[in-house]
Amino acid sequence: MPQPETSLMNRLVSLCKRRGFVYPASEIYGGLNGFWDFGPLGTQLKNNIRDAWWRDMVDCPPIGPDGQPVSIVGIDTSIIQHPKTWEASGHLSGFADLMVDCKESKKRYRADHINVFEVTMRDEDKEEKARLFFSYVEPEQLNEIVAGLIKRTKKDSQYYLSFERHPRNDSEKYCREEGLANNFLSKIQSDFILIERPFTALNAEEQAKVIGPDAKNAGTLTEPRSFNLMFNSYVGVFQNEESKVYLRPETAQGIFLQYKNVLDTSRVKPPFGIAQVGKSFRNEVTPRNFIFRTREFEQMEMEFFVPPEDGMKWYEFWVAERLRWWGEMGLSKANIFRHEIGDGDRAFYSAATADIEYKYPFTDPNFGELEGVAYRTDYDLKQHQTFSKTNLEYIDQEAKTRYLPHVIEPAAGLTRGVLALLCEAYQYDESRASPEWLKLKPSLAPIKAGIFPLVNKDGMPEVAEKLFMDLRKTHTCQYDAKQSIGKRYARMDEAGTPFCITIDGDTLTSQNVTIRNRDTAQQEKVALDQVKSYLSTKLS
RNA sequence: GCGGGUGUAGCUUAGUGGUAAAGCACCAGCCUUCCAAGCUGGCUAUGAGGGUUCGAUUCCCUUCACCCGCUCCA
C-alpha cells in the first residue's frame, strides 16, 4: 500500500486535531510546552480506556494464580498531599539532583557524579606554575587523563606534575585499583596531589576552571542546576518554605497513604489491591513526541499488597495479566514487548521490574514505555511507617503473624494508552474513499454508531432521529444528515466509529435499516427493532 | 537545557518589501436513494513581540510552539 510522504506521526497528529482527539493546550496563546488537551473524541476514547481498566481491575478483576478471583478496591486521593509524603517516597531527594551541562561536549551530568581532581604543575624548583582541574565520570576517563598528563610531563620536562594523595587510599593502592600502570608513580616526579572531590564540593570559582569530562577546554561546565521534576505550589496565602506543597508525580503514594484506612474499613486482606486513576504531574526536562511525554498526564495505577513470600508469584502474574490486557484492548502482539529491567537499571527498592513497551512510530524499530510493573517490596510502606510514625503492619489474626505487605505495582499511562491505541488503530488505504481511518476496538470507539437518513427527505430524517433518540440511551451515537452519505461514512471512519446505520427508502416500507461495517465497508440489512440488540452484541 | 530544522486558513501547499492565492475541509441553501458527487453563497491565515522602512508575511532581533538529534525520564 503506498503511503503518503508525511510521516505517520505527523499524519496522526493532524488527524487528531482535525477530528477533535487532541489539541495543543492554550493554542490561541501560542501553546504551552508539554501540555495537550483532549477534544471531544479524545476525551471519549480516554474515558473508554479508563473505564475498561476500572472494570477489569475493580469491578471484575481476573482470576489469580491460586484460582481465586483477585480482590481489588478503587479509591481517589488528592493530587496535593502532605509534603512529607514526597520526602518519605524519595521523590524530593531523587528529583532534586543537581545537573551540570557542558557547553563544549553538549553533555549533561549529575553534578555529584562528576569527580574533579586538581593537578598542580610545578617547575623544577617546585614553584607552582599552574593549577588544573580535571574531571571524569567513568574510571576509564581518569586513565586517559592521567596517561595524557604523563606524556605531557615527559615532553615538557620543566614541569613536574604533583598530585595530592587520594583521600580514600594511598596512591599506590589507588593506581592498582583503578588499573593504572604499575609504574605510574615512578613516572611522575615528586609527590602526588590528587584532590578528588565531587563537582558539587567545589566553590564557584573552582567550578569555573574545571575541564569537563568530555571536554578539552576549561570552564565549559555550567553551574549545577536543580532539575526538580515536581511542580510545587503553596497552601494558604503565605508563600514560604513551610507552606510549600507538591503536585503528585505519581498516583501511587496516595494509595500507600490510605492503605491502612482501606484495610480497616473495606474488609480486605492480603492479597488485595487498591486501584486509582488520576492526573499526575512531572516537570519533565524535555516533553516530546506528542502526548507520549507530557508534563501533565493521567495514570492508572494499582498497588497489590501481598504476603512477602508471595511477591515474585504475584509479580509474574501481573506482568502477564497486563500484557494480556493491552492485547485485549487491541494492541497487536508484535507491537508489545516485555522489557525486563536489569539489576543495574532498576530503582534501588525494586526486586523486579518489567516495562510493557509499545512500538510507537517515533521509537520504531524500538519500543517505548506504556506501563511499568514493579515489585516494590515493602519499601513504600516501610518509608511511610518510618516518616509518619504510624504502624502500617498487617495483622494476620488467623496465622497470628504481623508483617508489612510487599507491593506489586502495575502502573499504566492512560494518556500513553490513548496514544498507543491511536497509533495501532491508524490505517491508510488509498482504495477507500476515506484513506485514513481508525480501526479502534469497537467497545473503545468514541462513537459507537452514526445514524444517517440516506437523503434528507421522504420521512427518513424523522425515522432516523427517532432511532437516534432511542439508541443514545444505551450507546454513544451521532446523528448526521449533512452532505452526501459517502462523506458521512468517511467522517465516521476517521473517528473510528465501527457502525453506521442508514435509514433508506426500504426502512419506510419494510422496517429494515442498513448497517455499514467500518472495517469491511460491507453492509447488511437489520430490522429496525433489532438494531439495539445488534449493537449490544457487536460491542460486548 | 544544547544543536539543527520548521512556523501562511481546520488540513496540504503557493506567493510577495506595496490589496495574501489555491485545493480540500467546514458552514448555509439547492440537489442527491449508499461510500469525501454537483451547483450557489459563506467563514477562516502570515505563531507572538519588537526593530529597520513611507510601507514587513517577506529583512533583522527576541520569544513561543512543533519536529529531529543529544540530554533527561526519580
Side-chain angles (χ1 to χ4, degrees):
Chain A
M1 185 57 56
Q3 294 289 312
E5 300 254 321
T6 39
S7 77
L8 174 59
M9 263 329 274
N10 285 344
R11 281 178 283 139
L12 188 65
V13 171
S14 180
L15 184 143
C16 279
K17 185 171 177 194
R18 189 167 69 245
R19 281 299 164 223
F21 281 95
V22 180
Y23 312 121
S26 307
E27 195 183 13
I28 62 169
Y29 286 111
L32 189 59
N33 189 217
F35 296 89
W36 298 83
D37 291 341
F38 286 87
L41 293 185
T43 305
Q44 195 75 50
L45 173 61
K46 179 159 73 70
N47 287 351
N48 290 345
I49 298 168
R50 178 198 66 194
D51 293 346
W53 184 87
W54 193 264
R55 191 190 58 237
D56 293 336
M57 277 291 181
V58 180
D59 300 335
C60 182
I63 304 297
D66 47 8
Q68 296 297 311
V70 167
S71 158
I72 300 175
V73 293
I75 62 170
D76 187 6
T77 65
S78 292
I79 286 171
I80 294 175
Q81 299 285 353
H82 194 288
K84 277 215 161 180
T85 306
W86 313 112
E87 265 180 62
S89 68
H91 287 87
L92 254 184
S93 57
F95 271 147
D97 292 334
L98 294 173
M99 305 298 290
V100 169
D101 287 317
C102 178
K103 291 171 199 155
E104 184 184 319
S105 69
K106 308 299 176 200
K107 292 196 172 181
R108 169 176 295 165
Y109 314 90
R110 254 182 74 169
D112 57 342
H113 282 184
I114 300 177
N115 302 299
V116 181
F117 63 94
E118 194 180 324
V119 174
T120 309
M121 306 192 91
R122 297 172 192 279
D123 61 19
E124 284 165 333
D125 303 326
K126 302 224 168 176
E127 283 298 310
E128 183 173 316
K129 298 293 270 189
R131 286 170 72 203
L132 298 173
F133 293 84
F134 292 92
S135 70
Y136 71 95
V137 175
E138 305 294 336
E140 305 86 66
Q141 290 177 310
L142 175 62
N143 278 354
E144 267 174 48
I145 296 166
V146 170
L149 283 171
I150 294 169
K151 219 182 256 174
R152 191 164 164 185
T153 315
K154 268 182 162 176
K155 209 170 79 185
D156 192 357
S157 58
Q158 66 167 307
Y159 288 129
Y160 293 94
L161 285 176
S162 50
F163 299 76
E164 199 172 83
R165 293 172 78 81
H166 188 271
R168 288 171 301 182
N169 307 290
D170 64 72
S171 305
E172 213 167 335
K173 188 174 167 219
Y174 178 71
C175 291
R176 213 162 43 235
E177 280 179 354
E178 298 296 332
L180 297 174
N182 286 334
N183 54 359
F184 179 56
L185 279 178
S186 61
K187 288 206 173 185
I188 305 274
Q189 318 256 343
S190 96
D191 50 332
F192 249 95
I193 301 180
L194 182 60
I195 307 168
E196 193 187 69
R197 290 174 289 172
F199 190 76
T200 41
L202 276 63
N203 64 38
E205 201 183 317
E206 291 170 323
Q207 284 177 350
K209 292 181 186 165
V210 170
I211 303 167
D214 299 285
K216 297 244 181 300
N217 301 304
T220 61
L221 295 178
T222 63
E223 56 191 85
R225 288 176 290 197
S226 162
F227 282 82
N228 194 319
L229 292 189
M230 276 198 291
F231 283 93
N232 59 52
S233 185
Y234 300 90
V235 165
V237 291
F238 297 109
Q239 305 204 341
N240 53 36
E241 278 306 303
E242 282 70 52
S243 63
K244 198 170 182 179
V245 291
Y246 301 90
L247 306 194
R248 67 182 176 201
E250 62 175 27
T251 57
Q253 297 304 324
I255 296 178
F256 295 125
L257 266 49
Q258 291 300 349
Y259 145 86
K260 189 130 179 62
N261 277 336
V262 172
L263 200 58
D264 290 346
T265 57
S266 306
R267 308 187 66 215
V268 286
K269 59 177 189 179
F272 79 102
I274 305 178
Q276 164 159 245
V277 178
K279 288 272 178 95
S280 290
F281 304 81
R282 292 182 201 179
N283 216 339
E284 295 285 356
V285 178
T286 314
R288 203 54 85 80
N289 292 323
F290 197 34
I291 54 172
F292 179 75
R293 176 168 294 125
T294 53
R295 292 189 162 127
E296 174 173 343
F297 57 101
E298 208 157 349
Q299 295 186 296
M300 308 185 288
E301 295 197 298
M302 194 272 289
E303 308 300 323
F304 201 70
F305 301 87
V306 302
E309 62 274 18
D310 293 342
M312 279 315 284
K313 178 177 83 178
W314 282 101
Y315 167 71
E316 280 303 328
F317 170 78
W318 279 114
V319 175
E321 169 59 24
R322 296 307 302 153
L323 276 165
R324 188 199 63 75
W325 189 82
W326 282 112
E328 200 186 295
M329 291 302 107
L331 300 183
S332 72
K333 274 212 168 70
N335 288 338
I336 323 181
F337 175 67
R338 170 178 176 163
H339 178 196
E340 203 68 40
I341 309 294
D343 288 347
D345 301 325
R346 233 182 289 131
F348 65 92
Y349 51 77
S350 173
T353 301
D355 279 351
I356 295 173
E357 300 189 332
Y358 180 74
K359 195 198 278 179
Y360 301 95
F362 47 83
T363 58
D364 191 18
N366 296 316
F367 293 71
E369 191 184 340
L370 172 62
E371 169 162 357
V373 183
Y375 178 11
R376 299 177 73 125
T377 65
D378 59 358
Y379 172 76
D380 303 276
L381 289 180
K382 198 186 272 173
Q383 287 292 104
H384 289 304
Q385 182 167 265
T386 307
F387 276 73
S388 68
K389 303 187 178 71
T390 305
N391 190 338
L392 297 178
E393 284 178 319
Y394 171 71
I395 298 163
D396 189 334
Q397 307 271 13
E398 243 175 295
K400 303 238 186 302
T401 57
R402 52 171 61 204
Y403 59 87
L404 270 185
H406 277 206
V407 170
I408 317 298
E409 174 194 83
L414 173 54
T415 339
R416 283 186 181 177
V418 172
L419 178 59
L421 285 164
L422 281 172
C423 292
E424 183 82 26
Y426 181 87
Q427 308 287 318
Y428 188 83
D429 181 351
E430 266 188 345
S431 69
R432 290 171 67 115
S434 52
E436 290 183 301
W437 59 289
L438 295 180
K439 195 176 181 178
L440 288 166
K441 177 179 166 140
S443 64
L444 294 181
I447 304 168
K448 308 302 185 211
I451 296 154
F452 313 143
L454 182 57
V455 287
N456 225 355
K457 60 180 185 184
D458 299 340
M460 291 180 209
E462 289 76 7
V463 178
E465 272 172 41
K466 186 166 174 291
L467 179 64
F468 169 64
M469 292 307 284
D470 183 35
L471 285 181
R472 69 173 200 168
K473 294 173 193 159
T474 47
H475 298 97
T476 312
C477 294
Q478 204 167 80
Y479 176 83
D480 191 356
K482 302 279 171 61
Q483 295 167 317
S484 72
I485 190 77
K487 280 198 183 188
R488 285 178 260 163
Y489 286 152
R491 259 197 295 265
M492 283 301 162
D493 277 351
E494 283 195 342
T497 305
F499 303 105
C500 290
I501 303 164
T502 302
I503 280 69
D504 55 22
D506 196 30
T507 314
L508 304 173
T509 54
S510 63
Q511 298 291 298
N512 282 329
V513 299
T514 306
I515 299 187
R516 169 193 181 265
N517 184 298
R518 173 196 67 195
D519 300 349
T520 61
Q522 296 298 306
Q523 304 183 339
E524 61 180 306
K525 289 277 182 190
V526 174
L528 189 56
D529 57 5
Q530 294 296 307
V531 172
K532 192 177 258 187
S533 61
Y534 176 95
L535 280 185
S536 299
T537 310
K538 295 280 186 181
L539 293 169
S540 63

